Amino acid sequence: MAITFSDLHTEAGLKSLDEFLSGKSYVSGDNLTKDDIKVYAAVLVNPSNSFPNVCKWYDAVSSQLAASFPGKAVGVRVGGKGAPVVAAPAKEEAAAGDDDDLDLFGDETEEDKKAAEEREAAKKPAKKKESGKSSVLLDVKPWDDETDMKKLEEAVRSVEIPGLFWGASKLVAVGYGIKKLQIMLTIVDDLVSVDDLIEERLTVEPCNEYIQSCDIVAFNKI
């Protein structure tokens, strides 16, 4: 059954509410409900100790609302004669077509849920497509048989680029006492170009002191 509180801006109205709240924590049970919000809106200020039950209830509602609305309030006052406030179940209010009620904790509709899901989806960063990798076998040729192959390999491995990973290597005889360095490397395709690696890093100073040329022997996607 709906409970009616009238003239809560007057002492008579507050007295009636104070008597109703005697022995109660909230208007409609042990937890904060929409009924408390409506009655709270009709009580202009905390009546302090003049009405102890109302004062205790007002502080409890204020505390919970403060947690839900963390923004800093500057304070406002509402003038004029207050209209009677009726505390009734939500379904009855909807049937009566009361559009003036302030429903801060109403049931979430399907549209509200969909909008909330869309907001959450927008907050999540799009999953970045994982870049592919390739395995490359490279021939690195020295100038002649007098080239220090150990320093040649050191020069090759000194090249560091994001997405470039040097692997195993070996010396392979070419002929006339000359050997070439054969070395494996793994690259992240979006970060490393093997052609640029050869032309801009391995066959220019300082590496070209030991390296004459480089050839791609094998190139495989991983």
Side-chain angles (χ1 to χ4, degrees):
M1 181 178 180
I3 305 168
T4 302
F5 298 104
S6 302
D7 300 326
L8 292 179
H9 60 288
T10 66
E11 287 193 8
L14 290 173
K15 182 179 179 182
S16 174
L17 178 60
D18 192 72
E19 292 173 353
F20 177 82
L21 289 172
S22 178
K24 297 182 175 66
S25 299
Y26 296 99
V27 172
S28 300
D30 297 327
N31 297 299
L32 183 71
T33 67
K34 292 182 291 184
D35 294 340
D36 293 281
I37 302 302
K38 293 167 186 173
V39 178
Y40 179 87
V43 179
L44 300 182
V45 294
N46 191 332
S48 189
N49 294 327
S50 301
F51 302 96
N53 296 322
V54 175
C55 178
K56 180 180 178 182
W57 165 83
Y58 192 96
D59 287 340
V61 176
S62 296
S63 176
Q64 292 206 42
L65 288 180
S68 300
F69 303 96
K72 183 178 180 181
V74 297
V76 296
R77 293 181 66 86
V78 180
K81 184 178 180 180
V85 179
V86 179
K91 291 184 178 179
E92 291 183 14
E93 292 165 2
D98 186 358
D99 296 331
D100 296 329
D101 290 339
L102 177 62
D103 188 358
L104 298 180
F105 298 93
D107 293 336
E108 189 177 32
T109 66
E110 288 299 323
E111 291 182 358
D112 293 334
K113 291 180 180 179
K114 185 176 180 180
E117 291 173 358
E118 290 176 352
R119 288 195 298 271
E120 287 300 319
K123 291 179 183 178
K124 296 179 180 179
K127 187 176 180 181
K128 187 177 180 181
K129 185 179 180 181
E130 187 176 350
S131 178
K133 294 182 180 180
S134 298
S135 175
V136 183
L137 179 61
L138 201 65
D139 271 357
V140 184
K141 299 175 182 178
W143 286 103
D144 51 40
D145 60 344
E146 295 182 357
T147 300
D148 189 328
M149 296 303 291
K150 183 177 180 181
K151 290 185 177 180
L152 180 145
E153 182 172 355
E154 290 175 354
V156 171
R157 293 185 182 275
S158 69
V159 176
E160 296 181 354
I161 302 174
L164 168 64
F165 307 95
W166 295 109
S169 65
K170 65 179 181 179
L171 295 178
V172 179
V174 178
Y176 303 100
I178 301 175
K179 294 182 179 180
K180 64 181 179 182
L181 175 71
Q182 204 167 68
I183 187 168
M184 293 291 301
L185 58 142
T186 301
I187 61 170
V188 176
D189 296 334
D190 288 349
L191 300 178
V192 181
S193 164
V194 180
D195 290 336
D196 290 345
L197 172 65
I198 294 172
E199 295 173 6
E200 299 177 8
R201 303 299 293 271
L202 294 176
T203 56
V204 297
E205 294 183 351
C207 293
N208 65 355
E209 180 180 351
Y210 307 101
I211 300 172
Q212 180 193 63
S213 63
C214 298
D215 295 313
I216 300 173
V217 179
F219 192 110
N220 298 299
K221 294 287 186 181
I222 299 177

